[in-house]
Amino acid sequence: MVGILVQVFKWDKRWQLLHKCDLIFKRNIKKQVVYPTKLAEVGRLVDAKEGKYETGQLFLHRIFGYRGVILFPWTARVYDRDFHSPGKIASVAVNTSQPQDQQRSKEATVRIKPPVGGNDSMNPIPTAQLTSSDLSSETTNLGVSSASSSTSSNQVDAKDIKGKVHTFYQVLIDTRDCPHIRAQTEAVTFLGNQDSNRSLYAIPGLDYVAHDDIMPYNSTEKHPLQHELFDKFLTYTPDQDPPFVSQDTLKAWQEKNHPWLDMSDVHKETTENVRVTVIPFYMGCRETPASSVYWWRYCIRLENLGDLSVQLRERHWRIFSLSGTLETVRGRGVVGQEPILSPRLPAFQYSSHVSLQAPSGHMWGTFRLEREDGYSFDCKIPPFSLESKPDDMPPPSATTPAGSGDDDKKRGEDSD
């Protein structure tokens, strides 16, 4: 009798175990049903161009993978310090080789994963004011600096670096991809002309892309991109190639905001297989009763060209002003993050701001990086100039060409 009870007990335990496994299996099936993973066709890749792309060309970003559309081109002079250091070129030659984009077939189909739980509408950017009391250890405001007026001996003389002309593009980013991009999607900022002379505005979903980072594709959809400015700037014209033609509003917007969007210099330098690219932009001057304050924004991209992951731990800036001040800024990470650059996600991009009480200056510095094998090193930030422009430029409008004030939204300062 005891043996029969033991056997029944064993079968009961097995049934409970099978029941639990069945529940787990059903849960996994339920999860797969609730969160399905599938590919969605967005268009077909076309051959890359050596010449300039036209307005309205759809593309995928080679590094960040987002969908975008070209608005208009910029011509910039690129100062690459790696070309003036043969040792650096040899060390990164394998990693800097471009993918075989030129060999892509027109028949190749572009497929991407649609965002899970994404929101097609833009999130509003909160209003903020730039006041002297808001300046912290992360903010680079040189108006209060009284350090030495001499520049660092580590600063590279720009006269020794010869710039080469390259093409960049002003583009719109598909808002559906914004939550999944390792780059700020409201990085294009300018000083507003409202009642407060310290208002900082942002244009969401606007970016600058190098010619080599464009992977062009075609789509048969009339609205292949989701952005609030897409229909205001472009018109679907099926008999054109590309089939999206610029409207007069785009031309007017470009002409009106040209001084604040214009890019002229790009600076690059590679350390230990990590390339740092810097693009500075002059934003304008703000008059105060005591002095004039000049503002710049700068966009920085870090790209890991090696096989080992690295993590950004610290930043160290040196900022020299023509007024005779030199300030040192140190801090953890950048824009509140310590990004990891891995072979799967090799790049990170962000923007920040700096102000001087002089019409020009210089910036340079290092990022402290830690490799996955425990090795730490200082990655150089290439020196770049901060140059102002004539004061007779018209201020940018804080509204869109169509008259809506929702497209250019205020943004708080986040200097790093």
Side-chain angles (χ1 to χ4, degrees):
M1 186 68 178
V2 175
I4 296 175
L5 290 176
V6 170
Q7 190 67 23
V8 171
F9 177 78
K10 288 182 178 179
W11 279 109
D12 182 66
K13 287 295 182 182
R14 291 176 183 175
W15 182 87
Q16 291 181 11
L17 180 61
L18 289 173
H19 181 65
K20 289 180 180 180
C21 292
D22 185 55
L23 288 177
I24 294 174
F25 179 69
K26 288 181 178 179
R27 284 178 183 173
N28 288 336
I29 292 178
K30 186 176 181 181
K31 286 183 179 180
Q32 291 177 1
V33 172
V34 175
Y35 302 104
T37 301
K38 64 179 182 179
L39 298 177
E41 183 175 331
V42 299
R44 292 183 179 274
L45 289 172
V46 297
D47 290 337
K49 284 186 177 181
E50 293 186 2
K52 291 182 180 180
Y53 292 103
E54 301 293 332
T55 296
Q57 176 63 62
L58 300 172
F59 71 93
L60 297 178
H61 196 291
R62 184 179 64 87
I63 300 297
F64 296 110
Y66 65 74
R67 290 164 288 182
V69 63
I70 292 175
L71 297 181
F72 44 81
W74 292 109
T75 299
R77 189 167 291 275
V78 178
Y79 297 89
D80 194 339
R81 282 161 175 75
D82 297 340
F83 286 107
H84 295 265
S85 178
K88 285 187 179 181
I89 296 178
S91 64
V92 300
V94 175
N95 298 297
T96 56
S97 60
Q98 300 295 334
Q100 300 298 323
D101 293 340
Q102 301 290 345
Q103 304 299 325
R104 291 193 303 268
S105 170
K106 291 184 179 181
E107 298 302 321
T109 301
V110 186
R111 295 179 180 272
I112 66 169
K113 291 184 179 180
V116 177
N119 190 344
D120 290 348
S121 61
M122 296 297 294
N123 295 323
I125 300 175
T127 301
Q129 300 296 327
L130 303 183
T131 62
S132 58
S133 61
D134 294 332
L135 299 175
S136 63
S137 60
E138 293 186 351
T139 304
T140 51
N141 186 323
L142 301 188
V144 297
S145 176
S146 58
S148 170
S149 61
S150 62
T151 58
S152 169
S153 59
N154 293 330
Q155 184 176 1
V156 179
D157 189 353
K159 295 180 181 179
D160 297 334
I161 308 298
K162 305 300 181 182
K164 293 186 177 181
V165 176
H166 288 259
T167 300
F168 287 73
Y169 299 95
Q170 197 87 72
V171 306
L172 292 180
I173 303 173
D174 194 313
T175 58
R176 294 169 294 185
D177 298 337
C178 288
H180 311 283
I181 303 172
R182 300 191 76 199
Q184 291 174 315
T185 56
E186 68 281 354
V188 177
T189 54
F190 60 84
L191 298 177
N193 57 353
Q194 306 300 307
D195 51 354
S196 172
N197 62 0
R198 292 184 180 181
S199 298
L200 187 63
Y201 286 82
I203 307 175
L206 200 64
D207 197 8
Y208 294 83
V209 182
H211 181 87
D212 291 340
D213 289 338
I214 297 291
M215 297 175 60
Y217 75 91
N218 290 337
S219 174
T220 57
E221 298 181 32
K222 293 184 178 180
H223 303 281
L225 206 74
Q226 291 190 15
H227 192 288
E228 54 192 344
L229 294 178
F230 185 83
D231 291 332
K232 298 176 182 178
F233 285 167
L234 302 169
T235 301
Y236 179 68
T237 309
D239 58 342
Q240 297 291 325
D241 185 21
F244 302 99
V245 180
S246 64
Q247 300 186 39
D248 292 338
T249 50
L250 174 59
K251 298 175 183 178
W253 183 80
Q254 177 185 3
E255 182 178 353
K256 187 172 187 178
N257 296 290
H258 180 278
W260 317 100
L261 296 172
D262 185 23
M263 61 180 300
S264 57
D265 297 337
V266 179
H267 303 266
K268 296 183 178 183
E269 187 163 4
T270 303
T271 307
E272 299 281 353
N273 285 330
V274 177
R275 177 189 294 152
V276 177
T277 302
V278 184
I279 308 177
F281 300 87
Y282 177 62
M283 296 173 60
C285 177
R286 281 293 179 249
E287 301 290 341
T288 65
S291 62
S292 298
V293 181
Y294 299 84
W295 284 88
W296 290 263
R297 76 176 183 271
Y298 52 92
C299 179
I300 292 186
R301 181 202 289 187
L302 295 97
E303 187 174 356
N304 184 6
L305 306 176
D307 297 328
L308 298 179
S309 297
V310 296
Q311 184 170 12
L312 192 156
R313 293 298 190 183
E314 299 176 359
R315 68 186 185 279
H316 178 202
W317 282 106
R318 303 278 282 176
I319 311 158
F320 176 72
S321 171
L322 191 62
S323 62
T325 60
L326 176 66
E327 185 175 358
T328 298
V329 178
R330 292 180 179 270
R332 295 287 298 180
V334 291
V335 292
Q337 302 183 52
E338 296 183 18
I340 297 176
L341 310 178
S342 64
R344 187 176 69 89
L345 298 171
F348 180 82
Q349 182 173 296
Y350 76 96
S351 292
S352 192
H353 309 88
V354 63
S355 64
L356 305 177
Q357 290 188 350
S360 64
H362 291 84
M363 290 181 66
W364 67 98
T366 58
F367 291 123
R368 188 67 175 176
L369 300 179
E370 182 180 342
R371 213 161 56 192
E372 64 176 272
D373 59 3
Y375 173 69
S376 296
F377 60 95
D378 289 328
C379 182
K380 291 183 179 180
I381 305 172
F384 57 96
S385 299
L386 302 171
E387 301 292 343
S388 60
K389 296 179 181 179
D391 296 333
D392 56 355
M393 295 186 305
S397 171
T399 59
T400 65
S404 169
D406 295 331
D407 298 318
D408 298 339
K409 304 192 173 140
K410 288 184 179 179
R411 177 185 176 190
E413 189 218 15
D414 58 358
S415 298
D416 277 281

